[in-house]
Amino acid sequence: MDLVIGIDIGGTKTKIGLVDAQGNCLDQSHFSTKDYPNLEEYLDKIKTTSDALANNLGTSVNLIGCGIGAPNASSKKGTIENASNLIWKGSVPLVEKLKKRMDMPIRIMNDASAAALGEMLFGTAKNMTDFIVITLGTGFGAGIVANGQLIDGFDGFAGELGHVDMTMGDGRLTGLGVRGGLEAYVSATGLKRTIMYMQSKYLMDSRFRNIAYNDLHGEEITQAAEEGDEIALMAFDYTARIMAQALANFTAFTQPEAFILMGGLTNSGKWIMDPLEKYFNAFLLEVYRGKVKLLLSGMEGKTAAICGAAALIWENNKKELSKM
């Protein structure tokens, strides 16, 4: 059975799974990224975890490659470059070093771009040639597909839309130090920061007035909105308005058929999606109105990031087969 190793490298967890050609994750595991500050030991852990998953399947497995999604990953160099949320700094030659342990094709890509390939092969974008995947987790990531091709960029860093300045240099800092950058407002972290901002601006009662920032979780903000908490409702509206303006601007670049949203912030459901729909259509140029859909990921869940990473190999494999 042909399978691909899919690896999602996050600041907190590294998730590894075995994915078939239909995008099914047959088995998976994870470990703490922060437990391995030594890169060589971290790569050894990837190797042993991958081997254990293959051995545990109880059937003959042919591993045809390894796909990796990671923050600040260069698909052209095979490196991770100065990722703000990872413990290894500078330029990390991850593919070169991992190939010494795993004799197979290995590809790495920005995690949001990998997610876009996953959506195209396995998810909501199966029949689309123009779309943008937006990942709304700790930060704001984007994977752009135009004319059926992933926009990877000259150096493999295309799609860093979360660091577009939305306030002309007068606002919150993003993880990469961009003042007024989009992800500082539109992300799970951005929503928490907005809750604190709303409490400083308005005086009405709220359940959040006795909760410290580090103790605040997205699920609580959604629950508060359901209970009619005015601070929560204003925070969602504020977040949706900024995101809508950004997506309307991005529409002018490639005119996508759809924006496909995934990540923790989308779990807020109607509280983020309803105002987003309202503001998005208001901000769009008239020529685009009614043509651009806002959709949720078709791969949402624990294995979405793993399948997106595996898509790097499956997509390349399909290209090679088409040449024969």
Side-chain angles (χ1 to χ4, degrees), residues 205-208 223-234:
D205 289 336
S206 171
R207 66 188 290 172
F208 303 115
Q223 184 179 349
E226 291 171 351
E227 295 170 356
D229 187 294
E230 289 185 72
I231 292 291
L233 292 171
M234 287 191 294

Side-chain angles (χ1 to χ4, degrees), residues 52-74:
L53 288 172
N55 292 333
N56 290 342
L57 280 184
T59 185
S60 179
V61 171
N62 177 34
L63 297 176
I64 67 170
C66 174
I68 304 167
N72 283 59
S74 170

